[in-house]
Amino acid sequence: MRYVILLLLSCLACEQAPPEKQAIPVAEDSTFLTGTFYLVRHAEQTGVDSTLVEAGHEQAGALYRLLQDSGIQKIYFTRYPGSMDMADSMFQYLSLDTVSYVADSSGEGLLYEITREKDWGKKLLVVGNNRALVPIMHSLKAKPKIDSVAGKDYSSLFIVRKYKDSVRCKRLNY
């Protein structure tokens, strides 16, 4: 009996050890925190929380003509009438989905909504007020050459192209 036990133990000792588990790389979402963002201030309006004046409707039309072939996939706007009116042409003529976001001093409200909607990696039009645009650019890690958007600046379009390892920011007038 002793020999049988020794024989079993020696056989067990000769068995190969189980292979080591190899780490499997986790597939990373290649679009997270990337995309092309067209940031624009709402057009001229009669007052705070009001609709656009005639010049504002012309500015909204100019924006539409500039961006109609850009491939924008969705529109993000604040809940204020001027912001909604600014995006109205893009919404109606291009049949784009819209999402409202809460503008804040950090730009994080927009990033939260983009994440919630799973819109990273897309081309997005973002309409906001003049105090929200620069913080949004900073939250996207862009470094605009301005500290703020002037109170009467209704013709600037900021294009932020965010890649995994870099960000490009360009300013156009329309």
Side-chain angles (χ1 to χ4, degrees):
M1 181 74 167
R2 236 189 317 179
Y3 293 111
V4 173
I5 292 175
L6 285 174
L7 183 64
L8 283 173
L9 287 175
S10 64
C11 286
L12 289 174
C14 293
E15 283 186 27
Q16 290 183 342
E20 286 186 35
K21 291 184 179 178
Q22 298 294 321
I24 299 172
V26 176
E28 189 175 313
D29 180 1
S30 62
T31 62
F32 185 63
L33 297 177
T34 65
T36 301
F37 307 88
Y38 298 87
L39 297 125
V40 65
R41 179 186 183 189
H42 61 74
E44 208 168 334
Q45 55 191 27
T46 55
V48 178
D49 298 342
S50 61
T51 59
L52 302 182
V53 297
E54 185 58 37
H57 286 289
E58 291 172 11
Q59 293 157 353
L63 179 68
Y64 167 74
R65 287 186 294 281
L66 177 67
L67 295 179
Q68 67 184 352
D69 296 323
S70 64
I72 289 175
Q73 296 165 282
K74 196 176 275 188
I75 303 169
Y76 282 78
F77 58 88
T78 61
R79 295 184 177 123
Y80 298 106
S83 180
M84 290 185 273
D85 289 349
M86 186 65 177
D88 194 46
S89 295
M90 300 291 285
F91 166 73
Q92 286 186 7
Y93 294 120
L94 300 178
S95 301
L96 297 174
D97 286 335
T98 60
V99 177
S100 66
Y101 70 96
V102 177
D104 56 33
S105 61
S106 68
E108 298 296 321
L110 175 66
L111 298 187
Y112 171 78
E113 288 301 324
I114 293 171
T115 302
R116 193 173 72 74
E117 292 286 324
K118 298 178 180 156
D119 282 337
W120 291 109
K122 296 181 179 177
K123 292 183 177 184
L124 307 174
L125 172 62
V126 179
V127 183
N129 64 35
N130 61 325
R131 292 178 307 280
L133 293 182
V134 172
I136 288 171
M137 287 184 261
H138 287 163
S139 71
L140 292 168
K141 305 297 184 217
K143 296 178 180 166
K145 294 180 182 178
I146 59 169
D147 293 331
S148 64
V149 177
K152 297 288 182 182
D153 182 356
Y154 295 105
S155 63
S156 289
L157 170 68
F158 300 90
I159 303 171
V160 176
R161 286 187 169 84
K162 186 159 178 25
Y163 307 97
K164 273 210 137 345
D165 54 356
S166 66
V167 179
R168 303 230 190 289
C169 184
K170 182 175 163 182
R171 182 180 187 173
L172 301 174
N173 286 315
Y174 64 95

